[in-house]
Amino acid sequence: MDLRRIRYFLAVARTLNFSQAARELKVSQPALSKAIQTLEDELGGPLLRREGRLTHLTPLGERMRGSLQEIEDAAHRAEHLASRIANAESTKIRIAVMCTIDPGTVGRCLAQFQQKHQNLGIELLDFTAASIQDALLEGQVDVAIIGSPVEAVPRLRTIELFQEDMVVSCGPQNRLAARDSIPLKMMTEHPYVDRLRCEFRDMVLSIVDKHDLNLNVIASSEREDWIKSLLAQDHGVSIMPASSAASAGLSAVPLQDQQLLRSVYLAIPSGREDHTAVQALTKYAKAYSWNSGGTRI
């Protein structure tokens, strides 16, 4: 059923005058009459009766007027809601941040970005390495900030933001904190706190196994804040990104003869690259000086 014809009928039903309704609708009287006739054919009977210059609603017209008014009102509400949603989407960007990435590092960039785009809202969402790709491809988020290793997916474009070392992290009071580097064997002899959501976890386990060693795991967690709290209490050591260790006031010591380096990327799914907010964030993130703590290049 054509909403335009419904609107035409309701205008005539309100004015009871084809000439006046045609003027209000800015259409010709023949076009108005034809639209009403088509609607009557669809509904199976006359809605209006014209007697000279007088126009009356038929019993069918009286009965249908309320129902057709509800349809038009519902259409207006849907249009209004769609407009509100579209406007909200154009002024907000949903960003998935891999849970192993230091909030301080990302937060400084986003805070400065928003200072320059004050009308743009930011929604930060926490995802694991296993779930963040699906969130991007299924449209749950607009962009993501993820750590390597990154799986090559044709529908995702990635932009490298910065690189950082994966280091042995421990509390400042730990005796390993004063060392310039730590041999792998020495690390395995200390209590180890296992970061279960670390994207490098399998790689670390593989390196340890390759050297015929075993981690002395005394605690494990999916929560980065709990891991950092345990390390701060000198409850073992763990391998984590250097920025995460620094933000928690932990000591960061490189592994000896084992350089672990991760890249952090901005990932953008196909179909979102033309989004105005995504374009603004991409441009800012690419120019941002990540290693200097917030100074724009």
Side-chain angles (χ1 to χ4, degrees):
M1 191 176 294
D2 193 324
L3 286 172
R4 176 178 57 87
R5 296 182 190 124
I6 293 175
R7 188 169 72 252
Y8 286 5
F9 164 72
L10 291 173
V12 178
R14 175 174 50 80
T15 62
L16 294 178
N17 187 302
F18 271 77
S19 297
Q20 182 180 341
R23 287 194 299 271
E24 291 182 2
L25 295 167
K26 295 182 172 57
V27 297
S28 67
Q29 283 196 51
L32 176 60
S33 296
K34 184 178 180 180
I36 297 294
Q37 183 178 354
T38 302
L39 181 62
E40 289 175 332
D41 292 341
E42 290 177 349
L43 294 176
L47 301 171
L48 298 160
R49 182 178 294 114
R50 301 177 71 172
E51 298 175 356
R53 294 185 177 181
L54 299 177
T55 300
H56 303 283
L57 290 172
T58 67
L60 177 61
E62 289 282 4
R63 296 289 298 273
M64 294 305 301
R65 182 179 183 179
S67 297
L68 294 177
Q69 185 66 62
E70 290 178 3
I71 292 174
E72 186 186 41
D73 292 344
H76 282 311
R77 289 195 298 271
E79 290 172 359
H80 181 63
L81 177 61
S83 176
R84 286 175 55 195
I85 293 173
N87 289 333
E89 287 184 346
S90 66
T91 57
K92 182 179 74 171
I93 184 168
R94 299 165 300 169
I95 306 172
V97 183
M98 189 176 287
C99 61
T100 61
I101 294 175
D102 173 47
T105 302
V106 174
R108 283 189 293 272
C109 173
L110 295 180
Q112 293 182 33
F113 167 72
Q114 201 163 34
Q115 287 173 7
K116 294 181 177 294
H117 300 81
Q118 295 184 8
N119 293 327
L120 180 61
I122 293 175
E123 182 178 3
L124 296 174
L125 302 165
D126 189 27
F127 283 88
T128 65
S131 63
I132 202 166
Q133 179 177 299
D134 288 341
L136 281 166
L137 297 179
E138 293 172 4
Q140 298 177 41
V141 295
D142 299 308
V143 298
I145 298 176
I146 59 180
S148 60
V150 178
E151 182 181 347
V153 177
R155 289 176 55 201
L156 289 181
R157 181 167 75 95
T158 56
I159 300 169
E160 186 177 65
L161 301 178
F162 62 92
Q163 291 185 335
E164 64 177 333
D165 291 318
M166 300 289 291
V167 297
V168 178
S169 179
C170 60
Q173 66 274 42
N174 191 290
R175 63 188 181 89
L176 296 180
R179 296 184 61 91
D180 294 328
S181 63
I182 300 173
L184 182 65
K185 186 176 185 302
M186 180 180 291
M187 185 195 75
T188 61
E189 293 171 350
H190 280 71
Y192 190 83
V193 182
D194 194 4
R195 299 171 58 242
L196 297 178
R197 286 187 173 180
C198 176
E199 61 270 27
F200 278 86
R201 183 172 181 269
D202 289 343
M203 184 183 297
V204 171
L205 294 175
S206 177
I207 291 173
V208 170
D209 185 63
K210 181 179 178 181
H211 288 78
D212 199 25
L213 298 169
N214 292 297
L215 288 175
N216 180 22
V217 177
I218 60 166
S220 61
S221 178
E222 294 184 342
R223 291 270 299 268
E224 290 290 294
D225 52 349
W226 292 355
I227 295 287
K228 292 174 182 178
S229 178
L230 289 172
L231 297 178
Q233 301 302 317
D234 197 18
H235 194 65
V237 302
S238 188
I239 290 181
M240 67 172 51
S243 61
S244 294
S247 69
L250 301 171
S251 296
V253 187
L255 267 177
Q256 206 172 89
D257 302 324
Q258 298 288 337
Q259 185 179 24
L260 294 179
L261 190 69
R262 84 160 176 180
S263 294
V264 174
Y265 298 89
L266 181 68
I268 309 166
S270 175
R272 281 289 168 178
E273 293 176 310
D274 294 334
H275 194 292
T276 302
V278 171
Q279 289 180 340
L281 178 61
T282 301
K283 181 179 179 181
Y284 191 90
K286 288 170 68 176
Y288 185 81
S289 182
W290 292 91
N291 294 326
S292 66
T295 303
R296 288 295 301 276
I297 296 175

